[in-house]
């Protein structure tokens, strides 16, 4: 019987590449997309649906978790908190950090996985997120794995898979290009739904990765620094 994996599919560059990696590893894909009131919810949803179709995902499940917008305290969901342009160095937690988002997402993905008798949950945490997002650290994933082991009832374990945890954006892109990932159907911008802003932190790292490989990013930008 083919192994099944729940892939947290945001519609972004990393999660899309991750889903293609999971498929290449032989998993049948159960795509989970979560709308949490982010500024680019419309575009991310559109991209996630398209990618799931192109992947031939066995299932695409979309869940609204708008309570993050009620909580606020993040530039991604609270209009009173501005999305900052990229800064070369910062020691504080970025304003785009959504409090304990990955903990919530992993809990829901684990519930989905257990309900489908799946073998794994894939999440695209990676090295460039470590500096500011505490729930992207490898130690956090390891601790959550322990919670999954203790809190699930199915006999076979559900493994949390983080193949990008030691990779940077350029290395992820390189892997995705080799797998034929359709990056024209992905979205990374924190601010805009139609043309990416080109100046937020997420746009910066995405553009930097494409430039490092000498390739033009196929999505539209208002500004390409």
């Amino acid at each position: 019987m083919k192994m099944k994996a729940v892939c947290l599919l945001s519609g972004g560059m990393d999660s899309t590449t991750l889903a293609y990696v999971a498929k290449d590893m032989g998993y049948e894909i159960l795509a989970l997309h979560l709308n949490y009131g982010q500024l680019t919810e419309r575009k991310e949803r559109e991209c996630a649906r398209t990618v799931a179709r192109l992947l031939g995902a066995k299932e695409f499940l979309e869940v609204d978790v708008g309570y993050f917008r009620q909580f606020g305290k993040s530039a991604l969901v609270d209009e009173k908190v501005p999305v900052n342009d990229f800064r070369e160095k910062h020691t504080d937690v970025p304003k785009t950090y959504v409090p304990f988002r990955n903990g919530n997402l992993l809990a829901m993905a684990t519930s989905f996985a257990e309900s489908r008798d799946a073998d794994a949950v894939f999440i695209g945490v990676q090295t460039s997120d470590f500096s500011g997002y505490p729930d992207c650290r490898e130690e956090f994933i390891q601790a959550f794995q322990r919670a999954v082991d203790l809190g699930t009832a199915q006999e076979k374990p559900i493994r949390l898979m983080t193949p990008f945890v030691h990779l940077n954006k350029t290395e992820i892109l390189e892997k995705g290009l080799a797998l034929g990932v359709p990056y024209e159907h992905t979205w990374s911008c924190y601010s805009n739904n139609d043309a990416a802003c080109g100046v937020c932190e997420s746009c910066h790292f995405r553009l930097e990765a494409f430039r490092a490989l000498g390739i033009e990013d196929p999505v539209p930008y208002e500004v390409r620094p």
Side-chain angles (χ1 to χ4, degrees):
M1 187 178 294
K2 197 167 187 178
M3 297 183 297
K4 291 181 286 187
V6 170
C7 290
L8 282 160
L9 191 62
S10 70
M13 176 178 165
D14 295 341
S15 72
T16 298
T17 307
L18 187 75
Y20 273 78
V21 167
K23 184 176 181 179
D24 187 60
M25 291 170 65
Y27 286 95
E28 191 170 57
I29 305 301
L30 305 170
L32 178 61
H33 179 73
L34 300 168
N35 298 313
Y36 56 92
Q38 66 271 40
L39 297 176
T40 54
E41 181 178 298
R42 172 177 61 81
K43 186 65 175 181
E44 289 182 24
R45 180 196 297 119
E46 174 190 311
C47 289
R49 285 176 177 170
T50 301
V51 168
R53 177 176 54 80
L54 293 173
L55 264 173
K58 178 180 175 64
E59 190 171 349
F60 177 76
L61 181 62
E62 187 177 327
V63 177
D64 290 320
V65 284
Y67 56 83
F68 281 113
R69 180 171 280 276
Q70 292 177 272
F71 295 158
K73 194 68 176 177
S74 168
L76 296 191
V77 296
D78 190 339
E79 294 174 359
K80 297 190 296 293
V81 182
V83 176
N84 287 340
D85 294 351
F86 170 74
R87 287 183 294 153
E88 206 53 64
K89 292 182 180 179
H90 60 75
T91 57
D92 53 338
V93 176
K95 290 182 178 180
T96 50
Y97 167 63
V98 180
F100 206 63
R101 181 185 64 179
N102 284 348
N104 283 260
L105 269 54
L106 282 170
M108 284 179 275
T110 300
S111 292
F112 185 30
E114 189 171 18
S115 73
R116 299 299 190 269
D117 195 33
D119 303 87
V121 169
F122 279 71
I123 183 170
V125 294
Q126 46 95 8
T127 56
S128 65
D129 290 334
F130 284 1
S131 59
Y133 294 171
D135 57 355
C136 286
R137 291 175 295 178
E138 189 172 17
E139 295 91 337
F140 172 76
I141 300 297
Q142 291 168 347
F144 210 96
Q145 179 69 70
R146 177 66 174 154
V148 170
D149 293 342
L150 290 171
T152 50
Q154 69 181 41
E155 290 186 9
K156 66 180 178 183
I158 298 171
R159 310 314 306 169
L160 301 184
M161 304 291 285
T162 58
F164 297 164
V165 74
H166 296 299
L167 302 183
N168 61 37
K169 209 80 162 178
T170 304
E171 292 166 330
I172 292 169
L173 176 59
E174 196 166 26
K175 189 176 288 288
L177 291 170
L179 291 172
V181 173
Y183 287 110
E184 67 273 19
H185 297 301
T186 66
W187 200 252
S188 301
C189 184
Y190 286 151
S191 301
N192 298 347
N193 283 280
D194 298 311
C197 71
V199 295
C200 71
E201 195 165 74
S202 187
C203 283
H204 168 84
F205 285 120
R206 177 177 174 131
L207 284 166
E208 192 177 59
F210 274 93
R211 287 191 186 113
L213 296 180
I215 301 167
E216 184 170 342
D217 188 347
V219 304
Y221 283 86
E222 287 183 344
V223 177
R224 287 182 186 252

